[in-house]
Amino acid sequence: MADLQRLRDAFRTSLDLPADTPVDELQYQDNAQWDSLAHMSLIAAIEDEFSIMIDTDDVINMSSFQEAVRILGKYGVAFNE
């Protein structure tokens, strides 16, 4: 499975979204289900999925799907479909 799809699935699962929900434009403030508890669940899911440890500053700054893509690039995760 492409890394981008793995990230999409992590977002959908952590935020309890239907499997067909588009998440590429998802932002923290635009989604009621993405609260602080769901955010920590999302971070844990991403760390598990990609076998990385995300720094605190990056946890705080991960405010959208696109920002997650950018941040994960710092950890050597290459996104291609």
Side-chain angles (χ1 to χ4, degrees):
M1 181 185 319
D3 285 342
L4 198 54
Q5 189 58 45
R6 291 169 55 204
L7 182 60
R8 287 180 183 124
D9 290 344
F11 265 78
R12 289 181 186 116
T13 300
S14 299
L15 302 178
D16 197 28
L17 299 171
D20 60 346
T21 301
V23 295
D24 288 21
E25 302 302 320
L26 193 64
Q27 294 191 17
Y28 181 75
Q29 295 176 332
D30 293 344
N31 188 294
Q33 289 172 274
W34 192 351
D35 59 14
S36 58
L37 186 59
H39 187 72
M40 294 315 295
S41 174
L42 174 61
I43 296 298
I46 291 170
E47 288 179 332
D48 288 346
E49 183 65 35
F50 295 100
S51 299
I52 59 173
M53 216 37 172
I54 300 173
D55 291 335
T56 302
D57 287 343
D58 290 331
V59 169
I60 293 167
N61 291 328
M62 194 177 295
S63 59
S64 69
F65 180 85
Q66 293 303 320
E67 187 65 12
V69 170
R70 186 193 69 75
I71 288 170
L72 291 180
K74 292 172 38 179
Y75 296 89
V77 178
F79 291 100
N80 49 17
E81 282 194 86

